[in-house]
Amino acid sequence: MRRLGNKRRTVPTTRKHDTGTGHSHSNVTSARPDTGPADRPPSATRRTARLLAVALTALASAVPAHASEAPAPRTPAPVPTVSGSEATDPLGTGQPPPPGWRSQDSGATVRLRGLAAVDRRTAWAAGSRGTVLRTTDGGAHWRTVSPPGTVDLEFRDIEAFDARRAVVLAIGAGEASRMLRTEDGGATWTEVFRNTDPRAFYDCVAFFDDRRGLAMSDPVEGKYRILSTRDGGRSWRVLPDAGMPPALPGEAGFAASGQCLVTSGPRDVWLATGGGARARVLRSTDRGHTWRATELSLPAGDPARGVFALAFRDSDSSDSDSSDRGGSDRNRERDRDRDRDGAQGIAVGGDYRTGQPSPDAAATTRDGGRSWRPADRPPPAYRSGAAWLPAPWAHRVGSRHAALAVGPTGTDLTTDGGRTWRPMDTGSYDTVDCAPDGGCWASGEKGRVARLTR
């Protein structure tokens, strides 16, 4: 398995520019005093003339010699008001403004590639040097709950069922690959699996529910190795590989974000690959006993290229959401057509090496992974993590088919199920995860943790 080294990119600061207002002035010319009507008394005429002369003299002395010296008006200029579509679409893109990341203090300095969002208040993160973090107040405070004696382990994936129960995976060859479980919020941990085969290298773990789950290793004797649990991760067994297609030469998984193995529903699971001549996604509909492989258009043919992350959701999860009540009948019909064939899926990846191009770094499926289509407008660079935005975000972003993709050079948002992506943020993140109630977090290098905000 490959160790990924990503370079952090500085977030540019937005500057506001003031707009100046020019002032024009008319030339003041001498005027002969109005003598008034012929029948005006002479004394009144002289008095009027004197008053006019005094006024003209005062006015002439008050006019500046140059327009640039004109005093600013005492009355402030009226502030323009924004209403209607301009209030929700200040850039005139025809779309609501995207959400944004709000950084949180994790108290850690290690890279955090494992992330599990439970709900709006609870999330777990895992990373280098045996680090495990947990928050139960929406990220206002992150607490270190690392297993003792694991400073030499590289945690790359964590799956959490609630605020107390979680399973964390350490990667590496041989005995470096391990899994530990907690039932008390990280106060104590139990080692539930240790790899004893030096040929195996475990990358990701995923659960269908709080009892059934799988973990995957890079190919052993030409096939990916799958572990299975039926008791919430307390015990694991290797599944037979008769239903697993052969791996391509040089093919493996990427332990970049804990998303190389993902589930949706009670039986469906997908496995992302890279490093081979072609990028592939393997799909199982029977909890990992049999698999079928499908090729994708993502960059391949090099150990640094392939599919790094997958995100799937049941078609029912989008149909059941009615947040976009303002959508037209045509849009609703289009959404039904999109979802009718199976789970919606997104694949992201590319070339993780800094400065290397990653064209066609995203693809989508509407039929549960039987076929994949390249994104019409993919993210501009390599992306290592992806997540569907849950129903509470549908109204905010104006779509029930919205998702995020993250990587070392930024975050991208799609509102059409992954066909087109637009930049949302330039901060460096490795992984992203969202809970059904709308709680979304991202994490990455140097202890970076952020929560998605409106």
Side-chain angles (χ1 to χ4, degrees):
M1 186 55 222
R2 307 158 191 82
R3 297 294 179 98
L4 308 182
N6 297 326
K7 181 178 179 182
R8 183 177 179 180
R9 182 173 176 176
T10 305
V11 180
T13 303
T14 303
R15 298 180 179 176
K16 298 182 179 178
H17 300 277
D18 294 329
T19 303
T21 303
H23 303 275
S24 60
H25 301 272
S26 302
N27 294 329
V28 178
T29 59
S30 300
R32 183 173 59 187
D34 184 7
T35 57
D39 58 350
R40 179 178 295 174
S43 58
T45 300
R46 287 194 297 271
R47 186 163 53 251
T48 301
R50 285 196 299 270
L51 290 175
L52 283 173
V54 172
L56 289 171
T57 302
L59 180 60
S61 62
V63 174
H66 303 284
S68 61
E69 299 174 2
R74 295 178 180 271
T75 303
V79 178
T81 59
V82 179
S83 60
S85 62
E86 295 180 1
T88 58
D89 183 20
L91 300 180
T93 61
Q95 297 175 320
W101 293 117
R102 177 176 296 172
S103 297
Q104 297 180 335
D105 183 6
S106 71
T109 58
V110 300
R111 193 160 207 151
L112 302 171
R113 293 188 185 269
L115 186 62
V118 176
D119 53 44
R120 293 181 181 179
R121 298 187 60 82
T122 306
W124 299 68
S128 302
R129 298 185 62 80
T131 301
V132 178
L133 308 175
R134 185 188 67 146
T135 180
T136 56
D137 57 10
H141 303 88
W142 285 85
R143 178 187 174 194
T144 300
V145 292
S146 305
T150 60
V151 68
D152 294 328
L153 297 183
E154 284 283 333
F155 290 144
R156 293 293 180 93
D157 197 357
I158 187 166
E159 300 293 316
F161 309 114
D162 49 41
R164 299 183 61 80
R165 298 176 297 159
V167 175
V168 64
L169 169 73
I171 68 161
E175 294 191 1
S177 286
R178 307 178 195 179
M179 281 186 279
L180 296 90
R181 188 179 191 276
T182 182
E183 297 183 356
D184 53 15
T188 61
W189 293 85
T190 302
E191 184 177 293
V192 293
F193 171 77
R194 180 180 295 211
N195 175 42
T196 58
D197 189 337
R199 301 169 299 174
F201 187 118
Y202 285 86
D203 300 304
C204 290
V205 58
F207 280 83
F208 301 95
D209 50 41
D210 63 357
R211 295 186 304 114
R212 299 178 182 272
L214 302 176
M216 60 82 67
S217 164
D218 289 339
V220 176
E221 295 183 345
K223 291 185 177 183
Y224 289 95
R225 177 169 289 182
I226 303 297
L227 293 178
S228 175
T229 181
R230 297 181 179 179
D231 55 12
R234 295 180 179 87
S235 62
W236 297 83
R237 67 185 182 94
V238 177
L239 291 182
D241 65 1
M244 176 68 71
L248 300 177
E251 191 179 44
F254 288 104
S257 59
Q259 295 175 333
C260 57
L261 185 72
V262 299
T263 64
S264 180
R267 305 182 66 86
D268 292 345
V269 56
W270 296 264
L271 189 160
T273 77
R278 297 174 300 277
R280 302 195 303 170
V281 170
L282 280 62
R283 174 177 181 260
S284 171
T285 58
D286 56 9
R287 299 196 188 104
H289 290 278
T290 60
W291 299 79
R292 290 187 178 182
T294 304
E295 296 181 7
L296 282 72
S297 61
L298 272 72
D302 188 277
R305 300 173 185 163
V307 183
F308 281 73
L310 298 169
F312 274 87
R313 66 174 184 176
D314 291 332
S315 59
D316 292 342
S317 66
S318 58
D319 285 337
S320 62
D321 174 36
S322 59
S323 299
D324 57 346
R325 297 182 182 89
S328 66
D329 292 339
R330 182 178 180 181
N331 288 338
R332 285 190 288 271
E333 182 178 352
R334 179 197 62 195
D335 291 340
R336 286 194 296 269
D337 290 342
R338 178 182 294 151
D339 297 336
R340 65 186 175 187
D341 294 328
Q344 287 182 279
I346 292 172
V348 299
D351 189 324
Y352 74 77
R353 294 171 296 189
T354 301
Q356 293 297 313
S358 292
D360 301 324
T364 66
T365 178
R366 302 178 186 178
D367 57 12
R370 297 178 184 89
S371 62
W372 291 84
R373 170 184 172 180
D376 296 333
R377 188 173 70 227
Y382 154 72
R383 295 292 180 256
S384 55
W388 289 100
L389 286 180
W393 284 98
H395 179 70
R396 176 66 179 84
V397 299
S399 172
R400 294 182 296 122
H401 301 280
L404 299 175
V406 301
T409 60
T411 300
D412 301 284
L413 170 71
T414 178
T415 55
D416 55 16
R419 289 183 300 167
T420 61
W421 298 82
R422 57 182 170 130
M424 190 193 85
D425 185 88
T426 57
S428 174
Y429 297 102
D430 293 318
T431 190
V432 57
D433 195 34
C434 294
D437 69 351
C440 295
W441 277 270
S443 64
E445 62 179 351
K446 298 181 180 179
R448 287 174 62 99
V449 173
R451 181 173 179 174
L452 196 66
T453 63
R454 302 176 191 273

